[in-house]
Amino acid sequence: MIKLSFDADGTLLAKPYLQEYARELISRGFEVWIVTARYDSEERYTEDFKIKYNILSIKDEHKYLFDVAERCGITTDHIKFMNMNLKSEFFIDRDFLWHLDDDQFECNDINKNTNTVAIQCNSSNWKHKCERLIKKKLK
């Protein structure tokens, strides 16, 4: 099964059209994941971090992530919290076709250090790039 991945913050959680695309991909039979830089527990966030990113409630932020994942059809075992480590560490030995992200640094790092293709979701042709890779893989 072809594995595809979305970042959470600034990407899947922020853009309803990406949520719709994730649902569509799942209905087409693809395995869709969320790979996020977030910590996996509330206790790991410092007060400075919460202030810097204007986060009132980590619990609410995590609940929203899980709610969006559920609405998209992404199961909790397909959510990877990177605990503020680079996402390339997750992809390096895994067979993911692509990862969609808003962070150019993360995209560059994934493209440089893994076989997963990272695509900037803020580019005008992000969906064309995703679909072109899928079509190529299916041939």
Side-chain angles (χ1 to χ4, degrees), residues 80-107:
K80 175 64 179 168
F81 292 91
M82 291 305 299
N83 296 307
M84 299 304 162
N85 292 313
L86 291 170
K87 295 171 191 162
S88 61
E89 293 178 18
F90 175 74
F91 292 115
I92 200 156
D93 293 322
R94 290 184 173 80
D95 188 29
F96 278 76
L97 181 60
W98 53 253
H99 172 75
L100 200 57
D101 206 306
D102 68 312
D103 187 313
Q104 190 62 54
F105 178 82
E106 288 278 11
C107 287

Side-chain angles (χ1 to χ4, degrees), residues 14 23 25 28 34 36 41 47 58 60 75 77-81 87 98 100 103 109 118 125:
R23 283 189 289 276
L25 291 165
R28 290 166 54 191
I34 295 172
T36 178
S41 69
E47 286 306 313
I58 296 295
D60 289 346
T75 57
D77 62 324
H78 286 159
I79 300 172
K80 175 64 179 168
F81 292 91
K87 295 171 191 162
W98 53 253
L100 200 57
D103 187 313
D109 184 63
N125 62 345

Side-chain angles (χ1 to χ4, degrees), residues 121-135:
C121 70
N122 294 326
S123 68
S124 60
N125 62 345
W126 66 267
K127 190 171 185 179
H128 173 74
K129 291 178 181 178
C130 293
E131 289 297 316
R132 186 183 64 210
L133 289 168
I134 289 169
K135 185 176 181 180

Side-chain angles (χ1 to χ4, degrees), residues 42 55-66:
E42 289 180 55
I55 298 171
L56 300 176
S57 168
I58 296 295
K59 185 176 184 175
D60 289 346
E61 294 288 326
H62 273 46
K63 181 181 180 329
Y64 182 63
L65 185 152
F66 286 113

Side-chain angles (χ1 to χ4, degrees), residues 31-66:
E31 186 176 312
V32 176
W33 286 63
I34 295 172
V35 178
T36 178
R38 287 183 184 201
Y39 289 116
D40 58 3
S41 69
E42 289 180 55
E43 296 77 31
R44 298 184 78 172
Y45 289 91
T46 65
E47 286 306 313
D48 288 343
F49 184 93
K50 293 176 196 175
I51 291 167
K52 180 179 179 180
Y53 292 100
N54 197 28
I55 298 171
L56 300 176
S57 168
I58 296 295
K59 185 176 184 175
D60 289 346
E61 294 288 326
H62 273 46
K63 181 181 180 329
Y64 182 63
L65 185 152
F66 286 113

Side-chain angles (χ1 to χ4, degrees), residues 7-19 38 64-65 68 71 102 121-122:
D7 170 49
D9 299 299
T11 305
L12 191 66
L13 302 183
K15 298 174 173 34
Y17 59 88
L18 292 180
Q19 295 169 29
R38 287 183 184 201
Y64 182 63
L65 185 152
V68 169
R71 285 195 305 269
D102 68 312
C121 70
N122 294 326

